[in-house]
């Protein structure tokens, strides 16, 4: 997991929708139970208030339950993210530009000093032609391999 949980749109979507669902479910339950209780105690309850109120309480309970489950899942994801070890950042050492390049040939050193590129001699172009393009170490160093 290279991605941070707080940068995940899915995590925030889960959390926000879960909170909204729990809020709407709780609001439906509280409103309908309050209405049913007051009308039943007054003796003014109608069939619509009682039977529709019961159905809305069931819908509110489903929304509240879904919201609570979503919140618990987001808390569990946060706990799992905290338990999973994150990879240690790679330590990059700064480049020492003042160090000399010991692999330079005298022609390369002259090229760096003057900015003029030295022309290869006929002998070096023959060697380059004989080395071929295979890229093998034996060809490049003129070692015979049997």
């Amino acid at each position: 997991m290279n991605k941070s949980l707080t940068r995940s749109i899915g995590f925030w979507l889960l959390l926000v929708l879960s909170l909204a669902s729990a809020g709407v479910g709780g609001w439906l339950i509280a409103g309908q139970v309050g209405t049913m209780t007051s009308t039943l105690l007054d003796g003014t309850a109608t069939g619509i208030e009682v039977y529709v109120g019961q159905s809305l309480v069931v819908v509110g309970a489903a929304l509240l339950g879904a919201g609570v489950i979503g919140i618990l899942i987001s808390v569990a994801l946060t706990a799992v993210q905290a338990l999973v070890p994150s990879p240690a950042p790679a330590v990059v050492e700064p480049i020492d530009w003042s160090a000399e390049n010991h692999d330079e040939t005298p022609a390369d050193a002259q090229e760096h000093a003057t900015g003029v590129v030295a022309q290869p001699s006929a002998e070096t172009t023959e060697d380059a032609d004989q080395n071929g393009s295979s890229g093998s170490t034996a060809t490049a160093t003129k070692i015979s391999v049997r």
Side-chain angles (χ1 to χ4, degrees):
M1 285 186 192
N2 291 338
K3 194 173 185 182
S4 175
L5 189 61
T6 58
R7 294 178 146 203
S8 172
I9 189 72
F11 172 76
W12 289 109
L13 198 61
L14 172 69
L15 188 61
V16 168
L17 290 178
S18 297
L19 288 171
S21 176
V24 169
W27 174 74
L28 274 175
I29 291 172
Q32 291 304 315
V33 168
T35 301
M36 285 190 323
T37 302
S38 65
T39 56
L40 285 172
L41 290 176
D42 291 346
T44 60
T46 63
I48 293 177
E49 290 173 341
V50 174
Y51 296 119
V52 173
Q54 289 175 359
S55 299
L56 287 176
V57 168
V58 169
V59 169
L63 287 173
L64 180 64
V68 168
I69 288 173
I71 291 169
L72 290 175
I73 288 173
S74 64
V75 168
L77 283 173
T78 305
V80 167
Q81 179 72 25
L83 293 176
V84 172
S86 61
V91 177
V92 179
E93 296 179 13
I95 298 174
D96 185 15
W97 294 105
S98 63
E100 291 184 29
N101 189 357
H102 297 291
D103 296 337
E104 285 186 350
T105 62
D108 291 339
Q110 181 183 7
E111 177 184 335
H112 287 290
T114 62
V116 177
V117 178
Q119 295 297 325
S121 65
E123 184 178 303
T124 56
T125 54
E126 285 179 16
D127 290 343
D129 291 341
Q130 289 177 0
N131 287 339
S133 63
S134 67
S136 68
T137 306
T139 304
T141 58
K142 297 182 184 177
I143 298 173
S144 74
V145 178
R146 295 175 195 230

